[in-house]
Amino acid sequence: MKTFVLKVLGSDYKIKADRDGEYIYQVGKIVDEKMKQIHKQFPQGSLARTAVVSCINLVDEYLTREQENEAKIKSRIYQLIEKLERVM
């Protein structure tokens, strides 16, 4: 397990992970960017509030992408089934 130091909203956080360093730093960059965006929208909010709202936003973005990907896969499967039915 490796230790990484990520800077989020100007603070350093030590993270232990078995993942590739480039991946960990990419995750940290995404979190930092999202927290900066939320902090800019709600500058009077506490760090905890900023973190929670950021997490909610990130999970929403993730789930939305997952649903879009699932819909694309289903659509492609139905297209392939239709092609197979025409051939048979």
Side-chain angles (χ1 to χ4, degrees):
M1 187 162 299
K2 301 174 205 164
T3 301
F4 303 92
V5 177
L6 303 180
K7 187 173 283 289
V8 177
L9 270 184
S11 296
D12 291 339
Y13 295 89
K14 286 185 179 180
I15 306 294
K16 289 187 178 189
D18 288 330
R19 300 295 296 257
D20 178 88
E22 189 174 321
Y23 175 85
I24 297 299
Y25 290 120
Q26 183 181 16
V27 169
K29 182 180 176 187
I30 291 168
V31 171
D32 184 50
E33 288 172 359
K34 181 56 74 175
M35 289 194 55
K36 284 178 180 175
Q37 176 189 10
I38 298 301
H39 183 69
K40 195 176 200 179
Q41 290 175 331
F42 307 102
Q44 301 303 318
S46 69
L47 182 60
R49 178 175 171 80
T50 300
V52 169
V53 173
S54 297
C55 286
I56 291 169
N57 275 264
L58 287 168
V59 171
D60 176 56
E61 291 171 12
Y62 169 80
L63 292 176
T64 298
R65 276 196 206 112
E66 285 291 305
Q67 290 171 349
E68 289 170 356
N69 288 338
E70 187 177 316
K72 286 178 186 177
I73 290 168
K74 284 181 181 179
S75 174
R76 183 68 178 139
I77 289 171
Y78 290 131
Q79 290 172 358
L80 291 172
I81 289 171
E82 287 176 0
K83 283 183 179 181
L84 283 172
E85 287 176 345
R86 279 182 275 168
V87 172
M88 296 171 86

